Amino acid sequence: MEKCKEKKVLLFHCVESEDLARKVASQSDSIQLQSINWRSFDDGFPNLFINNAQDIRGQHVAFLASFSSPAVIFEQLSVIFALPRLFVASFTLVLPFFPTGSFERMEEEGDVATAFTMARILSNIPISRGGPTSLVIYDIHALQERFYFGDHVLPCFETGIPLLKQRLDQLPDADNIVVAFPDDGAWKRFYKQLQHYPMVVCTKVREGDKRIVRLKEGNPAGRHVVIVDDLVQSGGTLIECQKVLAAHGATKVSAYVTHGVFPKRSWERFTCCNEKEGSQRAFSYFWITDSCSHTVKAIGDKAPFEILSLAGSIADALQI
């Protein structure tokens, strides 16, 4: 069969995602970077300009977003709502990390589910000439959040796990890997994609005012154990999991998360030169993707971190 011709995609991006956008564009000659003037008025409100707006009529257009803080969301939403109205053939929004995704719980009256609010906002992106907006998100935190989106967007949920599997196959001890999950939620999210690896599942139990991590099932003894989760914030759970796995005989412990959020430079707890909390050399490898651009810039080449780029996967998603 003749291979389908790739469609030409004009890719816009926010300032923070420029490095990732360039990597995405380098994956295919059919993806061309476009630019936006991200200016502000004297009062701080956005003064934005989409360059070459006339030239994008009838074209397939995409925007690579990064909602890393509330301060940058409004200006990006302004562009996101404007692009589909410029008579484009189709519009795709790539939001690698859905940032409010860990705030979806309503445990008592008065809690505000900001994940639902963000989904409602994105669901009202104007329809382009080609129909609803395609929304590409990686490893959304809670599976039920896919039902938060309305009919005006078509959510496409991707995962970074293939990048992890590819990296694990390159390790010298690839035949001695065990995958561990820090809780049942992580197991439900990822176990089907990692079924060919032996598995260990941990659990959190409450003892007084503390939540303690314990081994629930599986045997890590003598193995290189890789903890897998969707995101990391402070990293406390991963550190406690490492201690439990090491106590049960794991020879090496590594970690993978799709989204390295690490607020307040909490990634410093994992660097090899940090002896605090006994975390020095605790992790042989710590893999994250470049879904959180600010983290990638802060970590650089600091061990034990390695960056697995989503660029190839995003380029493929733009062809869907």
Side-chain angles (χ1 to χ4, degrees), residues 7-10 12 52-62 83-91 128-130:
K7 66 182 180 183
K8 177 183 174 183
V9 179
L10 304 182
F12 292 86
N52 303 317
Q54 294 281 346
D55 297 336
I56 72 173
R57 290 185 174 186
Q59 302 293 320
H60 298 289
V61 172
L83 285 170
R85 299 173 65 90
L86 294 175
F87 294 93
V88 301
S90 70
F91 181 62
S128 70
R129 288 178 61 193

Side-chain angles (χ1 to χ4, degrees), residues 237-299:
T237 297
L238 292 179
I239 290 173
E240 292 305 311
C241 279
Q242 184 275 330
K243 292 177 181 178
V244 170
L245 294 167
H248 283 80
T251 54
K252 293 165 63 176
V253 178
S254 297
Y256 165 85
V257 296
T258 303
H259 311 296
V261 185
F262 291 122
K264 299 179 179 179
R265 295 175 64 90
S266 56
W267 52 265
E268 292 179 341
R269 304 175 74 179
F270 297 90
T271 53
C272 291
C273 59
N274 188 355
E275 298 183 14
K276 199 172 183 180
E277 300 185 38
S279 61
Q280 186 179 22
R281 303 184 187 278
F283 288 82
S284 298
Y285 301 92
F286 198 128
W287 296 289
I288 65 172
T289 75
D290 45 6
S291 66
C292 299
S293 301
H294 60 287
T295 300
V296 173
K297 292 178 181 177
I299 287 176

Side-chain angles (χ1 to χ4, degrees), residues 47-283:
N47 176 19
L48 310 172
F49 186 80
I50 300 169
N51 294 311
N52 303 317
Q54 294 281 346
D55 297 336
I56 72 173
R57 290 185 174 186
Q59 302 293 320
H60 298 289
V61 172
F63 182 81
L64 178 57
S66 177
F67 291 177
S68 59
S69 72
V72 301
I73 292 178
F74 176 67
E75 64 179 13
Q76 291 184 60
L77 284 175
S78 299
V79 170
I80 290 166
F81 274 62
L83 285 170
R85 299 173 65 90
L86 294 175
F87 294 93
V88 301
S90 70
F91 181 62
T92 300
L93 171 61
V94 182
L95 182 62
F97 174 46
F98 187 64
T100 57
S102 55
F103 302 99
E104 80 288 346
R105 299 180 185 87
M106 292 186 64
E107 296 179 349
E108 61 177 315
E109 193 68 31
D111 281 342
V112 177
T114 53
F116 181 59
T117 303
M118 179 58 70
R120 291 174 70 188
I121 292 172
L122 295 178
S123 296
N124 283 285
I125 297 172
I127 294 176
S128 70
R129 288 178 61 193
T133 293
S134 299
L135 173 59
V136 180
I137 295 176
Y138 283 81
D139 291 321
I140 199 164
H141 181 64
L143 298 180
Q144 71 268 21
E145 288 165 15
R146 66 185 59 210
F147 303 110
Y148 291 177
F149 297 94
D151 293 338
H152 284 183
V153 295
L154 299 174
C156 178
F157 297 104
E158 299 289 340
T159 179
I161 293 298
L163 298 174
L164 171 65
K165 291 163 71 173
Q166 184 179 39
R167 184 66 182 95
L168 293 181
D169 287 342
Q170 297 169 353
L171 296 179
D173 57 353
D175 58 349
N176 194 39
I177 298 293
V178 166
V179 170
F181 302 104
D183 51 40
D184 287 333
W187 175 81
K188 290 177 183 177
R189 191 175 297 112
F190 294 121
Y191 83 94
K192 288 184 179 179
Q193 302 174 66
L194 295 164
Q195 288 186 90
H196 61 291
Y197 292 103
M199 294 184 184
V200 167
V201 181
C202 296
T203 187
K204 299 175 188 175
V205 296
R206 186 173 294 279
E207 291 186 359
D209 295 333
K210 296 183 178 180
R211 298 192 74 182
I212 308 297
V213 175
R214 289 183 176 170
L215 188 67
K216 180 181 178 181
E217 59 183 79
N219 181 15
R223 310 299 286 270
H224 179 181
V225 183
V226 179
I227 306 170
V228 176
D229 208 350
D230 63 316
L231 62 85
V232 58
Q233 296 267 5
S234 69
T237 297
L238 292 179
I239 290 173
E240 292 305 311
C241 279
Q242 184 275 330
K243 292 177 181 178
V244 170
L245 294 167
H248 283 80
T251 54
K252 293 165 63 176
V253 178
S254 297
Y256 165 85
V257 296
T258 303
H259 311 296
V261 185
F262 291 122
K264 299 179 179 179
R265 295 175 64 90
S266 56
W267 52 265
E268 292 179 341
R269 304 175 74 179
F270 297 90
T271 53
C272 291
C273 59
N274 188 355
E275 298 183 14
K276 199 172 183 180
E277 300 185 38
S279 61
Q280 186 179 22
R281 303 184 187 278
F283 288 82

